[in-house]
Amino acid sequence: MEIKIKYRGKEQTLTFEKEKITAGDILKAMGLSPEYAFVVKNGEIAQEDETVSPQDEIKVVNAISGG
Amino acid sequence: MAKLKKGTRCSICKAKGEKEKAVVFLPHHRLALCRKHFVSWFEKRVEKTVKEFRMFSKKDRILVAVSGGKDSLSLWNALVNLGYQADGFYIDLGIDQYSQDSKQLALSFSEKIDRPLHIVSLKEELAPIPVIDTVSNRPACSACGTVKRYYMNRYAKELGYNIIATGHNLDDEVAVLFGNTLHWDVNYLKRQYPVLEEEDGFVRKVKPLCKITEKESALYAFFNGIEYIEYECPFSEGASSIEYKELLSRLEEKHPGTKLQFYTNFLKNMYPILKEHEKKEKPKKCIICGEPTYADICSVCKMRERLKKAV
């Protein structure tokens, strides 16, 4: 399954082997911890076990900033 | 942050007999909150921090150092909502697209909350960061921090503000504390307090978000529809602070509350000891610009000299 996401102002596509994908799977695939990152699904915060489909508008927010 | 179980109700709504679903779980505070109560929890926590460290009152004129990022804009929003007199100050660092985008976001936010944003251009004052980076022998972030502190302090005085507030959050403070402890850098540890008092030419500096995590700050921005710059400054690539933050987050995942304890126990148990042994040196006036410095010539004037030689 392919999921399009928006991350730090850019669009990218994630490919998964399985058919049921959760917000937690997206964070995992991106190497991000729920400790500092979260998924927004169709404008609302998605919990880690919430399923996402290719039709959903997904944004991933990584709160860590450097400097 | 630990998982929020399906169907969990907001802790505050539950106490009031309401049934709103929780959208955020804060394990180190054992709180599950809905959108509305997370926003009010955040603002109350900021106000509590302001009062705990006696940072400022409603009479003070506060200048918020705005970068266009989530922390500074969330801080500005929270202070205005809490009824403080807080205006913004943005330094255009001249870092190509990054500066253009962050400036636009800071300006739009200033219009949205109807508070003035003072803008200073580093290109006009000294030189853009990419140019400073070519003549500086320090990492870009360090030189950038120096010039930001200098112009912030100088303009706060010129514009009549008596408080400078920065958006440093708990993760920033913990990462710096961790780095300074790894190196046992006592001189930096001595200065790691959320309030730096006003003294001979230095305006009082405060960090009201010092007990707010980076994720809480991003969530607050999200719930308030605050648009901020989401991509990193190109100069911050490979910054050790990011590595420390990721490392400390892994600890936090296993042991919620570690970061907050590391920081607050430092302030409570270690900082007073360090402070007691501090030999207080009084700042002098820079012989070139008159701004406070501990040397004869301040770091920014030294930088200007180096830039002149390089041309």
Side-chain angles (χ1 to χ4, degrees):
Chain A
M1 190 193 285
E2 283 194 341
I3 306 274
K4 271 194 190 133
I5 60 152
K6 212 174 163 194
Y7 180 64
R8 295 202 150 160
K10 283 183 187 164
E11 296 233 347
Q12 36 177 291
T13 305
L14 298 175
T15 310
F16 296 90
E17 298 276 319
K18 51 184 187 176
E19 286 307 301
K20 194 188 165 207
I21 308 298
T22 65
D25 291 331
I26 291 181
L27 292 182
K28 217 174 197 177
M30 295 179 73
L32 300 171
S33 160
E35 189 48 47
Y36 54 77
F38 58 91
V39 174
V40 178
K41 177 180 139 181
N42 304 323
E44 302 282 345
I45 304 270
Q47 300 309 324
E48 279 178 75
D49 55 2
E50 203 166 320
T51 51
V52 291
S53 70
Q55 289 77 42
D56 293 320
E57 200 178 293
I58 303 291
K59 188 179 166 183
V60 177
V61 179
N62 178 358
I64 284 195
S65 60
Chain B
M1 264 180 214
K3 281 182 191 173
L4 188 66
K5 283 182 194 133
K6 240 180 199 167
T8 307
R9 284 191 288 158
C10 165
S11 313
I12 299 174
C13 286
K14 209 163 128 188
K16 288 181 179 171
E18 291 161 23
K19 283 182 180 172
E20 194 63 46
K21 210 176 96 184
V23 289
V24 172
F25 180 56
L26 310 174
H28 53 295
H29 300 294
R30 289 188 189 137
L31 273 177
L33 298 171
C34 67
R35 182 187 184 125
K36 184 180 114 189
H37 285 125
F38 174 78
V39 169
S40 60
W41 172 85
F42 182 100
E43 289 173 0
K44 273 183 202 154
R45 189 153 175 82
V46 172
E47 181 144 58
K48 214 174 150 192
T49 307
V50 167
K51 289 193 171 145
E52 181 187 348
F53 296 100
R54 294 183 186 161
M55 290 179 172
F56 46 75
S57 73
K58 300 261 158 83
K59 285 182 207 150
D60 290 304
R61 289 196 73 214
I62 306 155
L63 196 56
V64 181
V66 174
S67 65
K70 64 181 191 312
D71 303 305
S72 55
L73 296 180
S74 289
L75 170 65
W76 196 7
N77 195 70
L79 292 183
V80 169
N81 282 354
L82 288 164
Y84 291 105
Q85 297 181 63
D87 298 335
F89 184 77
Y90 178 86
I91 302 178
D92 184 341
L93 301 165
I95 307 173
D96 310 319
Q97 195 64 41
Y98 178 78
S99 287
Q100 285 173 36
D101 291 347
S102 58
K103 185 161 91 179
Q104 196 45 52
L105 289 163
L107 269 170
S108 313
F109 185 74
S110 146
E111 280 166 24
K112 189 181 157 190
I113 60 164
D114 201 19
R115 298 290 301 201
L117 177 74
H118 304 281
I119 299 178
V120 161
S121 160
L122 200 54
K123 191 180 162 191
E124 284 161 29
E125 297 280 347
L126 187 68
I129 288 293
V131 176
I132 291 175
D133 188 47
T134 58
V135 299
S136 175
N137 45 13
R138 293 186 292 163
C141 294
S142 156
C144 185
T146 301
V147 295
K148 280 200 270 194
R149 280 190 293 274
Y150 176 90
Y151 288 106
M152 191 75 208
N153 190 62
R154 193 167 155 176
Y155 277 93
K157 287 187 287 182
E158 273 186 40
L159 298 164
Y161 293 88
N162 63 327
I163 306 282
I164 293 171
T166 59
H168 292 100
N169 59 45
L170 177 68
D171 293 72
D172 294 325
E173 293 305 289
V174 168
V176 170
L177 180 59
F178 185 66
N180 288 340
T181 306
L182 274 183
H183 302 112
W184 289 119
D185 204 328
V186 177
N187 284 328
Y188 281 127
L189 286 169
K190 269 182 202 166
R191 289 178 60 79
Q192 204 174 345
Y193 199 72
V195 179
L196 286 178
E197 293 295 349
E198 174 190 338
E199 63 169 331
D200 306 307
F202 284 116
V203 174
R204 170 185 270 230
K205 286 185 205 75
V206 297
K207 298 171 181 173
L209 298 190
C210 67
K211 288 192 177 180
I212 296 283
T213 70
E214 203 139 41
K215 186 170 174 181
E216 287 158 4
S217 172
L219 285 166
Y220 179 80
F222 172 73
F223 289 139
N224 282 292
I226 299 171
E227 275 191 72
Y228 60 89
I229 188 134
E230 288 191 40
Y231 65 93
E232 283 291 305
C233 167
F235 283 93
S236 79
E237 209 176 294
S240 55
S241 59
I242 294 182
E243 273 182 54
Y244 293 162
K245 283 176 181 180
E246 286 171 348
L247 182 73
L248 290 155
S249 289
R250 285 212 285 278
L251 268 177
E252 184 76 18
E253 264 181 58
K254 283 191 176 171
H255 311 283
T258 302
K259 290 188 290 194
L260 191 62
Q261 264 195 33
F262 181 51
Y263 182 60
T264 54
N265 287 346
F266 165 78
L267 294 181
K268 202 173 122 201
N269 303 328
M270 198 64 213
Y271 179 78
I273 297 171
L274 293 170
K275 191 82 188 146
E276 207 176 296
H277 293 279
E278 192 181 17
K279 284 184 199 129
K280 196 77 189 123
E281 202 187 331
K282 266 195 161 287
K284 302 183 264 188
K285 276 188 177 178
C286 167
I287 55 169
I288 299 174
C289 71
E291 283 299 297
T293 173
Y294 293 96
D296 290 331
I297 299 174
C298 76
S299 322
V300 170
C301 285
K302 276 183 200 155
M303 228 176 255
R304 186 175 283 114
E305 294 298 307
R306 232 176 287 146
L307 283 159
K308 268 188 210 160
K309 277 182 200 160
V311 174

